[in-house]
């Protein structure tokens, strides 16, 4: 009769600075040549930092960059010292998309179709502004216009709760709406309308202003 014992070696995997001890069953299968069925070396444990890193790398999301751009749009005054050109020169997709989706959420009023419509207006409205800017001689990319137009919806989001409070006061409500539209249009135009337009600036500022009026109309239902 054969007798004996199998000792389990203390096998550890080095996973980016963390060690994971293999179970007895995993070690036994690996010793018998069945390690190929363990999914590349057993269970893999990712730390929260590693998951966040992969999330940012795969989707190209930088939360600090998005937060800085939000501040640049909400506070467009040059005296505040923000490098506002980063909104135009370093465009991203997820930040503007989040702003547009949030604006869509507060514009619902039980009409779910408005979400897709606002996203459509954002995409094709930005395309219209882009084509007009290129015709007028501006050196701007479609991604830059898409980002600036999306981020500049933030002023309309800011005035939304105020409109809920003063909605019964027609004059005050109208003034706040005008203020929000001018705020949004100024944030976008100051980034998109550069010195290359010279005397043609009104030809680009006017459609930007109309675009935000339409966005506001989708929120208010007018």
């Amino acid at each position: 009769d054969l007798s004996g014992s199998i000792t389990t070696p203390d096998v550890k995997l080095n996973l980016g600075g963390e060690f994971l001890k293999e179970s007895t069953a995993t070690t036994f299968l690996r010793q018998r040549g069945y390690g190929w069925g363990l999914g590349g070396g057993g269970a893999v444990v990712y730390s929260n930092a590693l998951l966040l890193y992969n999330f940012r790398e795969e989707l190209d999301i930088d939360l600090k960059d998005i937060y800085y751009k939000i501040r640049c749009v909400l506070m467009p005054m040059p005296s505040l010292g923000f490098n506002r050109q980063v909104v135009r020169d370093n465009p991203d997709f997820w930040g503007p998309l989040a702003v547009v989706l949030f604006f869509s959420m507060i514009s619902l009023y039980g009409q779910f179709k408005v979400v897709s419509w606002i996203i459509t207006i954002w995409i094709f409205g930005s395309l219209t502004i882009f084509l007009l800017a290129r015709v007028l001689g501006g050196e701007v990319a479609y991604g830059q216009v898409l980002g600036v137009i999306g981020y500049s919806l933030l002023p309309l989001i800011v005035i939304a709760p105020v409109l809920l409070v003063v909605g019964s006061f027609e004059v005050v409500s109208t003034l706040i709406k005008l203020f929000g539209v001018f705020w949004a249009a100024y944030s976008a135009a100051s980034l998109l309308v550069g010195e290359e337009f010279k005397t043609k600036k009104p030809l680009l500022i006017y459609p930007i202003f109309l675009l935000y009026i339409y966005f506001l109309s989708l929120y208010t239902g007018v």
Side-chain angles (χ1 to χ4, degrees):
D1 295 334
L2 298 178
S3 62
S5 62
I6 299 176
T7 57
T8 303
D10 188 12
V11 181
K12 295 182 180 180
L13 298 178
N14 188 350
L15 299 174
E18 294 185 359
F19 289 92
L20 175 65
K21 184 177 181 179
E22 289 189 338
S23 65
T24 302
T26 301
T27 304
F28 180 79
L29 290 174
R30 191 184 303 282
Q31 290 176 342
R32 294 299 180 272
Y34 295 101
W36 56 269
L38 298 176
V44 181
V45 179
Y46 289 99
S47 64
N48 291 334
L50 184 59
L51 285 174
L52 180 60
Y53 174 78
N54 289 337
F55 180 72
R56 289 178 54 186
E57 288 298 316
E58 293 295 330
L59 298 181
D60 193 23
I61 296 177
D62 191 337
L63 297 180
K64 290 183 178 180
D65 181 60
I66 292 175
Y67 174 66
Y68 185 80
K69 291 176 180 178
I70 288 174
R71 295 174 65 190
C72 290
V73 170
L74 290 178
M75 293 176 283
M77 289 73 69
S79 58
L80 296 178
F82 290 109
N83 180 21
R84 301 187 66 246
Q85 288 301 317
V86 72
V87 182
R88 169 179 171 171
D89 297 338
N90 186 25
D92 65 286
F93 176 74
W94 299 108
L97 178 62
V99 174
V100 173
L101 288 177
F102 187 70
F103 180 75
S104 302
M105 292 298 105
I106 66 175
S107 303
L108 279 178
Y109 288 114
Q111 302 176 16
F112 289 96
K113 292 181 180 180
V114 76
V115 177
S116 59
W117 184 239
I118 288 177
I119 294 176
T120 302
I121 294 301
W122 169 49
I123 293 174
F124 287 97
S126 299
L127 179 61
T128 302
I129 300 298
F130 163 71
L131 293 176
L132 184 58
R134 297 294 290 186
V135 169
L136 294 176
E139 296 295 330
V140 62
Y142 175 63
Q144 294 175 322
V145 178
L146 196 68
V148 170
I149 296 297
Y151 273 118
S152 296
L153 276 173
L154 285 167
L156 300 186
I157 295 176
V158 170
I159 68 169
V162 182
L163 291 177
L164 292 177
V165 176
V166 301
S168 57
F169 302 97
E170 185 175 350
V171 176
V172 178
S173 178
T174 302
L175 291 176
I176 292 176
K177 291 175 183 177
L178 289 174
F179 173 74
V181 170
F182 275 108
W183 186 4
Y186 175 78
S187 293
S190 60
L191 291 168
L192 294 176
V193 182
E195 293 298 327
E196 65 268 24
F197 292 100
K198 296 182 180 179
T199 59
K200 301 177 182 179
K201 288 183 179 181
L203 296 177
L204 191 60
I205 295 175
Y206 183 65
I208 292 174
F209 180 74
L210 292 180
L211 181 60
Y212 286 107
I213 289 180
Y214 189 70
F215 274 123
L216 183 63
S217 70
L218 292 176
Y219 167 72
T220 58
V222 177

